[in-house]
Amino acid sequence: MFKIVEKRKLAENIYEMKIAAERVARAALPGQFVIVRSDESSERIPLTIADYDVEAGTVTIVTQTIGHSTKKICSLEVGDCLADFAGPLGRPSEFVHMPLEELRSRKYLFVAGGVGTAPVYPQVKWLHKHGVECDVIIGAKTKDMLIYIDEMRKVGNVHIATDDGTEGFKGMVTALMKELVEGEGRKYDECVCIGPMIMMKFVCLTTLPWNMQTTVSLNALMVDGTGMCGACRVSVGGKTLFTCVDGPEFDGHKVDFDEAMRRQAMYKNQERLDNDNREHKCKCYGE
Amino acid sequence: MANKIPRVAVREQDPKVRATNFEEVCYGYNQEEALLEATRCLNCKNPRCVAACPVNIHIPDFIHHLTEGDIRGAADVIHLDSSLPSICGRVCPQESQCEGSCVLGIKGEPVAIGKLERFVGDWYLEHSNEVEAPTIEPNGKRVAIVGSGPAGLACASDLAKMGYKVDVFEALHRLGGVLSYGIPEFRLPKDRVVAHEINEVKKLGVKFETDVIIGRTMTIDSLLDNEGYDAVFVGSGAGLPRFMGIEGENLNGVLSANEFLTRVNLMGAWDPKHNDTPVYVGRKVVVVGGGNVAMDAVRTAKRLGAEAVIVYRRGEAELPARKEEVHHAKEEGIEFRMLTNPTHILGTDDGWVKGINCVEMELGEPDASGRRSPVEKAGSDFIIDCDVVIMALGTSPNPLIASTTGGLNINRRGCIEADEVGATSREGVFAGGDAVTGAATVILAMGAGRKAAKAIDEYIKAKK
C-alpha cells in the first residue's frame, strides 16, 4: 500500500498527488512512468512521473479524471492509500545519458499540452539543474486549465498559449512554435513534446519541415507495463515497438499517430458500457 | 492381478456446462478413487516413470504409501523432490513424462500418476495446518529472489528450509507469476491451490514484496552491493510476447495471448461486476498457435461467450499442447483448423479486425528437428470472419534484467546464460526457469529453482 501524503487541485478535474514510495523516488529519472492501481478491483494504469523527491521519499503524479479508473484515483484523499504504485518504468529521457559538455551546447524547446505539462516538468527541472536552460511552451484550452506554470517558471523560460487567448498567446501551440522559430528566428536542436496524441501529431508535422529532431512521450494502453502483454504496441518507422519497454519516448517523426490514436480507443465502447452498467446498478441498489 | 483393474476415470465438469463458467474442469480423485488407482502401480524395480520425471519424484514410493492409506507419508515422499505437487499434478504434461513411460501404458493405460500427485498435494494443503512448522535455525545469510513464479517459489522454499533469510520480489501486484496471470482458473484454481501453495512458502519465513521491478525499482547490482544480499536468484519468467509480423497485426482486436490471459486471470476481467479491467471477445475469436497457452486462450474466449477457433500451421499430431487440454478443448466445442497459416489480418474502415486471411498447408520433409515442416499449398487462400485475433506464438526474452546487471551474459537467443545448476557469468547471481530456457513448463522451472537453491547454498558456504 502506498500512502497519499499530499493532494492539491490544479484545475477542474486535474489533481496532483504526492505518494510515499521511497524506492521509486530513489530510482526515478525524467521520462519514466509508474503503474498505479487504486484498489483491489481497479485497472493497472500508467501515469507519467511529474516529480520525485529522494529525501522525502515521495513521487508526484498528476491525474485528470477521464474515465472510471482516473476518477477512482482522484477521489482518494490525503492519508488514503493506493493499492499499487510500481515503477519507475520505461526508459528515461535520452538526454540523461548524454555527456554534459554536449548537452550544454544543445538548445531544447519543450511543448506541453494540458495535463502533459506535468511530465514535462521533471525534464526541464533536470536540465536546469545540469545547467541547460530551455524554452517551454505550455498550451491549454483556456487560462483555468493551465497547470504547473509557477513551478515551470522557476526552471525554464515559459511561453503560454491558450486557444481562447485568456492567457498569453492566442492560438494553438503550433502557431506559437512558428512564431518563435520562423518569426523570432530562434534555433533549437530538439523539440520535446508531451500532451494529447492529436497535439503531438501536429507538433511533429510542424517541426518536420524544419528538420528539427522531435521527441514525443506516448501514453498507450497498458496492462502490466513491464513488457509482458504487448497491449502498448506502436508503429515507429514501420517497426512494431512496445511503449513500455522501448519507450515511452520515441522519435515523433517516425510514430504512426493515426494508428496510435485508434489503438488508444480500443476499449472506449466497453468503458461506456461499463459506466452505464454501474450507473444502472446505482439506481437499483442506491438508497 | 493388480494391473487388470482399468484406470480409474476422473470425474469432470460436464463440457456443455463448463464451457460457460470458470470453475475447475477436473474434480480430481476422492480418497476411495485415489487408493484404488494406486493399487494399479506395479512398483517396478527399475521405475521408468522416475527417470522420466524432470525432478525425479520417487513415484512408486509415494504410490505405495497411498496403497497403505498413508497419505501423509505419500506427501512426505513427494516433498523430497517437489515443492508444488497440487500445481504440477494439474499442469504437468504427464503423458510425455512419467505416465508416458509407465510400463502399464505399453499394453493398456498407464497409472494416473498426475491425478494421484494432485490428490496427495490437495490433501496436504487441506491438512497442512495440522503439521507443525519445522523449527529452522537461521544461518544469518540473505538471498534475494526475482520473481514469484514456480522457479522462484521452489528456490525460496528450499533456501528457507536451509536457514536462509529469503526475500522474494515480484513485479506484478499478485504473487505466483504465470500461475496467476497465465494459467486460467478452470485449470488451476487461484485461491484454493496457488495462494495456498504460496502460503506454505510464507510459513517457512520467506518474505514477499509485490510491485518491485528488478532492473527498474532496484537493480541486481544494488541488491548485492547496497542491500546486503549474499546471492540473487533470477526467475523472472519468459518475457515479451511474439507476433507474426504480418499485415494488420496492429488493428484493434489483435492481441497477444499474454495480454488476453492477463486481463482475464490477473485482472479478473471475467467477472466485470467486481473488476474494472475490460476484455473484448466479440462474436468470434481466432487463436493462432497450438501450445498450452493457445489452448488456455481459446477456451477462455469460449467461456466469455465467443465462438472460438484454433488456427495452427502443422497437423494435429504436431500440436505442442498437452493431449488432455486438446481433448478438453474439443469437448467444449472449440473448432480446430489444422494445417492452416494466417497470411494477413483484414480490418474494417475504422481499423477493427473483421477477418483473417489464411492459406492451407501440407507437411513436407522432416526438418533438422525431425518435425515435418509445413509447406504452403499454392492458391489455397481463404478467409475466416472474426472480431478478435489472439496470437499465442511464444515469447522472446525481456532484456530488462540483463541490460541493467553488470557482467551478466546472455545467449544467442537473448536468454540469461546459466549452467546446469543455475550459476551465471556474474558471481553470486543464479538463474533458472523460462528466463534461462525460454518458454517451458512449470515443472522444469521448479526443478531449476531447486537445483539453484542447492548451488546457492554451496556458493555461500564456500565464500565464508
Side-chain angles (χ1 to χ4, degrees), chain B residues 86-94 179 183 187-188 292 322 442:
Chain B
S86 269
I87 293 170
C88 292
R90 285 173 168 84
V91 302
C92 258
Q94 287 101 3
L179 308 171
I183 305 176
R187 212 149 72 76
L188 184 63
N292 288 318
R322 290 177 65 204
V442 170

Side-chain angles (χ1 to χ4, degrees), chain A residues 39-51:
Chain A
D39 63 52
E40 284 307 314
S41 65
S42 302
E43 284 185 83
R44 295 169 65 93
I45 62 162
L47 292 172
T48 320
I49 293 170
D51 202 3

Side-chain angles (χ1 to χ4, degrees), chain A residues 193-204 216-218 257:
Chain A
C193 173
I194 309 180
M197 208 71 101
I198 188 78
M199 183 193 100
M200 293 192 282
K201 175 183 169 175
F202 280 98
V203 165
C204 289
V216 295
S217 176
L218 300 183
F257 281 104

